[in-house]
Amino acid sequence: QSQVVESGGGFVQPGGSLRLSCVGSGFTLRNFAASWFRQVPGKEREAVSCISANGDNIKYADSVKGRFTISRNNARGTIYLQMNSLKPEDTALYFCGIDGPHYSTDTRATCNYNSMNQWGKGTQVTVAS
């Protein structure tokens, strides 16, 4: 059974860094657009960043611009989210969602919850002193 799997979450102090990874189990994410979302209890899942299948189109939420970087290694079929200068308000369960498959040259990056075909179970990020 194919699954999306996130990893890399953890506990970090304010100002620290973490790198999240998203891979496909049983399939490659190479031809999928992908998005990172996050959710805290009692709130809706919100988009953090998204990237097109070819990696050329990238979007960020205003709250993370300049601190987070999304990237992908299509040879490894992996999507990354580098998170720097973390703040307590970044604490959340982070999910990877995928949209596709598309042609490898596809430039769509929607950051749209309803466009995701499949989600991982999430990885917890906690930022606290």
Side-chain angles (χ1 to χ4, degrees), residues 38-105:
R38 65 187 180 187
Q39 190 170 23
V40 297
K43 292 190 176 182
E44 292 186 354
R45 196 171 295 190
E46 65 169 350
V48 174
S49 183
C50 54
I51 188 167
S52 59
N54 72 348
D56 286 350
N57 190 4
I58 289 174
K59 298 179 181 178
Y60 295 101
D62 288 342
S63 58
V64 307
K65 281 181 182 176
R67 300 188 299 121
F68 290 11
T69 303
I70 192 170
S71 63
R72 63 189 304 145
N73 183 325
N74 281 343
R76 295 185 175 184
T78 305
I79 312 297
Y80 302 100
L81 186 68
Q82 178 68 43
M83 306 187 295
N84 299 328
S85 302
L86 282 161
K87 304 176 181 180
E89 52 263 44
D90 295 318
T91 295
L93 187 60
Y94 282 71
F95 296 89
C96 177
I98 61 171
D99 166 23
H102 302 293
Y103 288 111
S104 61
T105 54

